[in-house]
Amino acid sequence: MGLNLDEQKAVDRFRKDVVEPSMSKLVVLDFWAEWCGPCKALTPVLEKVCGEYADRGVVLAKINVDEEQFIAAQFQVRSIPTVYAMFQGQPVADLTNARGESQLKAMLDQLLEQLPIGGEAEAGPDVSEFVAMGEQVLADGNGERAAGIFTQVAEMAPDNAAAHAGLIRALVAAGRTEEAQAHAAGLDEKLAGDPAVKAALAALELAGEKVDDTELQNLRAAAAERPADMDAQMAFAEAAFAAGERDAAADTLLGMIRTDREWNEGAARARLVRMFEAVGLEDPWAVATRRKLSTILFG
């Protein structure tokens, strides 16, 4: 999947400690650090409330961002404490602002009313292996085949957000943007609000920036002639990515970050992260480019 050994170990720990329990329970996921004062103030509240709600299927999982930097990066944690509610492997709510017991309990009560915690609802078909297969095929660069796999999965499990997200990204990768747009437009609000689907919509959004070959060459020339013109660099990077030139887009954005990472409130980095979301965080290109970005940001 393009991960190094340490990253794979981090994913395995996260799967064991968070994803697997979340298949039948509501996992309150707390991103924290030893040096974080607000984290220390929040911890007793989380432990107390989650303990009281344990018999209702609520468990607490803690992620030390210093020890699990890779996992924190996948969730784009920018400040701590950050707290999510996880169910069946997906974030279902941001609990970060629930700093008091009453606020946290109110949000948990609402979630527990909506979710089939403990398998109370009839379980749908287990399509996780097929979703993983589609993701691997997509990561290997075969958008058409991946689209076929995800189409079948979505038909088998119409409420499976990962299947719909994969289908949108696969259609985009296959150049079938209009079909991806039509599929996205047909999703109900619950699916459209899922984090995985939102990431797929990022791919669809970026694909919409595609220009014809002549315009792409004009943008390429402008970026080459005016290396200090950040607007010209950004315009070319966006068009290059939409045209499938991922390396050119990444090199341009990384160059912008080296020059001035704070330009336009960090727009170059934000755009690069959006591209990671669009192709999938475990895509080999995204993994390699994230490493380059980390080198620039952290030396």
Side-chain angles (χ1 to χ4, degrees):
M1 298 297 286
L3 303 181
N4 62 35
L5 182 59
D6 289 340
E7 291 171 343
Q8 186 59 59
K9 288 181 178 179
V11 171
D12 290 341
R13 287 192 297 271
F14 184 78
R15 182 180 294 115
K16 178 182 178 182
D17 296 340
V18 178
V19 176
E20 291 179 2
S22 78
M23 301 315 292
S24 60
K25 298 179 181 294
L26 184 66
V27 177
V28 175
L29 181 59
D30 176 28
F31 290 93
W32 69 288
E34 291 284 357
W35 46 264
C36 171
C39 297
K40 294 178 180 179
L42 181 61
T43 292
V45 175
L46 294 175
E47 292 177 344
K48 181 177 185 294
V49 173
C50 290
E52 292 176 357
Y53 277 64
D55 60 351
R56 297 178 63 184
V58 177
V59 296
L60 175 63
K62 299 178 70 63
I63 297 290
N64 186 319
V65 297
D66 291 330
E67 297 175 356
E68 300 287 1
Q69 295 182 15
F70 180 72
I71 297 300
Q74 307 316 299
F75 280 83
Q76 298 182 40
V77 174
R78 295 183 174 86
S79 63
I80 52 176
T82 290
V83 185
Y84 291 119
M86 301 281 294
F87 182 62
Q88 295 187 344
Q90 298 290 336
V92 293
D94 186 343
L95 306 179
T96 304
N97 292 327
R99 299 298 175 91
E101 285 188 34
S102 60
Q103 289 177 303
L104 182 57
K105 288 180 178 180
M107 295 185 75
L108 290 178
D109 287 339
Q110 184 177 11
L111 289 169
L112 292 170
E113 289 176 1
Q114 299 171 348
L115 300 172
I117 303 298
E120 297 172 5
E122 181 180 353
D126 183 2
V127 296
S128 58
E129 291 187 6
F130 297 104
V131 171
M133 181 190 302
E135 291 291 351
Q136 182 62 63
V137 171
L138 184 56
D140 290 340
N142 193 333
E144 284 289 351
R145 184 179 169 215
I149 294 171
F150 284 122
T151 295
Q152 294 182 43
V153 177
E155 291 174 352
M156 292 168 56
D159 293 332
N160 188 289
H164 290 284
L167 178 55
I168 293 171
R169 290 190 289 108
L171 289 171
V172 170
R176 295 157 60 182
T177 305
E178 291 185 0
E179 292 178 56
Q181 292 172 335
H183 188 78
L187 295 177
D188 62 37
E189 292 184 3
K190 181 179 179 181
L191 284 172
D194 183 271
V197 174
K198 287 182 178 179
L201 295 178
L204 187 55
E205 172 194 336
L206 293 172
E209 295 166 347
K210 189 172 184 179
V211 298
D212 60 36
D213 290 342
T214 299
E215 180 62 18
L216 178 61
Q217 295 310 316
N218 290 338
L219 292 171
R220 190 193 310 275
E225 292 169 1
R226 305 195 300 273
D229 186 339
M230 291 296 200
D231 289 314
Q233 302 300 310
M234 178 64 79
F236 170 63
E238 292 174 343
F241 184 84
E245 298 186 20
R246 293 182 182 177
D247 290 339
D251 290 344
T252 301
L253 291 170
L254 290 170
M256 295 172 66
I257 295 168
R258 286 192 194 94
T259 300
D260 183 1
R261 68 180 64 180
E262 301 302 328
W263 174 77
N264 196 16
E265 298 182 350
R269 180 182 180 184
R271 179 57 66 174
L272 195 55
V273 169
R274 193 73 164 157
M275 291 176 181
F276 295 157
E277 294 174 347
V279 302
L281 294 175
E282 294 184 349
D283 179 273
W285 173 85
V287 172
T289 307
R290 285 204 309 272
R291 292 196 182 108
K292 294 178 182 178
L293 176 62
S294 296
T295 299
I296 293 172
L297 295 177
F298 307 113

